[in-house]
Amino acid sequence: EETRSLANRKPSALTGSARKIKDNSADWHNLMLRWDKLNEDGFTAAASIVNMRRSLLLNDSSSPQSSSSPQQVGGDTELQDKCLVLQEVVDKMAVVVMKMERLMTTQRGIEDLEALQFGPKGRKVPLFHSWSTKEFGEASQVLLDAFRQELLLKQTILQEVAHTATSDLCMVFLSCWLHQPFIPTQTRLRLEALLLETGHRPL
């Protein structure tokens, strides 16, 4: 919400492509904040699943005959409940990525319009500080590709984490969820560069 409030604190003289790109940049920021909150919620649910799964694996190895005991059935029910929570988080993450795809569609529309207005090389004077309109599209594509890949990983973890055969694999899934390998620091820096260029962050 922070970037959006900064953008609207005083009336802006920006119009057309510049206005749309600046709004898109704020939306990228807000969607990333939303994703980060969902990632925290998902990690909490995934950690509960992993802890329950490790406990079940331990119980199975120590007393195989107890697999149908009331305690085991209760554990299975609780595990299923946590999996539903994690499913809900991943579904919300998919909605975030869908909104990011819409931002990309808007950006492509801006580029197509400017190609008609100014020719294939685009406008000669940058909309803000130094970036061409195409560079905004390139930055947006990097962000979208990263979050698409990370969503696929989250969906894989969702499908596998409650069915892992070993405790070690449970911990690998949990670590992958937490550290988000497809959204490295340089991806977040790309967003910061976008915010700097559009004036959401002071230079």
Side-chain angles (χ1 to χ4, degrees):
E1 303 279 325
E2 179 189 351
T3 296
R4 177 63 79 185
S5 63
L6 284 173
N8 294 334
R9 189 168 293 169
K10 56 185 180 182
S12 172
L14 292 176
T15 58
S17 296
R19 177 77 266 162
K20 287 178 183 175
I21 287 174
K22 186 161 186 171
D23 286 348
N24 267 12
S25 300
D27 289 340
W28 272 113
H29 173 75
N30 293 331
L31 288 172
M32 194 175 284
L33 288 180
R34 172 71 172 148
W35 177 280
D36 287 343
K37 176 64 171 65
L38 289 170
N39 194 62
E40 290 175 12
D41 295 344
F43 179 75
T44 300
S48 295
I49 292 168
V50 165
N51 287 335
M52 280 186 268
R53 186 63 186 152
R54 292 176 77 192
S55 176
L56 290 171
L57 287 168
L58 188 62
N59 288 339
D60 286 348
S61 64
S62 59
S63 60
Q65 72 274 16
S66 67
S67 59
S68 59
S69 70
Q71 183 179 359
Q72 178 78 20
V73 172
D76 287 345
T77 303
E78 190 178 357
L79 184 64
Q80 188 173 17
D81 289 343
K82 290 297 181 183
C83 288
L84 290 174
V85 171
L86 191 60
Q87 174 76 65
E88 185 177 344
V89 169
V90 173
D91 288 346
K92 288 176 180 177
M93 286 177 151
V95 171
V96 170
V97 172
M98 184 176 67
K99 290 179 179 178
M100 289 176 173
E101 289 170 345
R102 288 179 190 159
L103 292 181
M104 193 69 237
T105 300
T106 301
Q107 178 61 37
R108 292 294 179 223
I110 295 168
E111 290 177 32
D112 291 345
L113 179 62
E114 294 213 342
L116 286 173
Q117 291 176 321
F118 304 105
K121 293 184 179 179
R123 64 172 68 237
K124 290 188 169 115
V125 179
L127 287 167
F128 297 97
H129 297 292
S130 62
W131 286 19
S132 67
T133 305
K134 186 177 180 183
E135 285 176 288
F136 288 105
E138 290 168 351
S140 298
Q141 190 65 59
V142 167
L143 292 171
L144 178 58
D145 289 346
F147 280 92
R148 276 175 170 166
Q149 289 296 316
E150 189 62 35
L151 177 62
L152 288 173
L153 176 61
K154 302 296 196 203
Q155 290 169 335
T156 300
I157 293 171
L158 171 66
Q159 295 301 318
E160 300 294 336
V161 70
H163 309 290
T164 50
T166 69
S167 177
D168 286 347
L169 192 52
C170 283
M171 297 309 294
V172 169
F173 283 136
L174 192 58
S175 178
C176 283
W177 185 288
L178 177 64
H179 294 295
Q180 307 198 90
F182 292 106
I183 311 176
T185 301
Q186 57 263 39
T187 300
R188 294 178 181 273
L189 289 175
R190 186 66 66 101
L191 175 64
E192 285 302 310
L194 194 62
L195 296 173
L196 280 167
E197 178 67 21
T198 52
H200 287 296
R201 296 270 195 264
L203 283 172

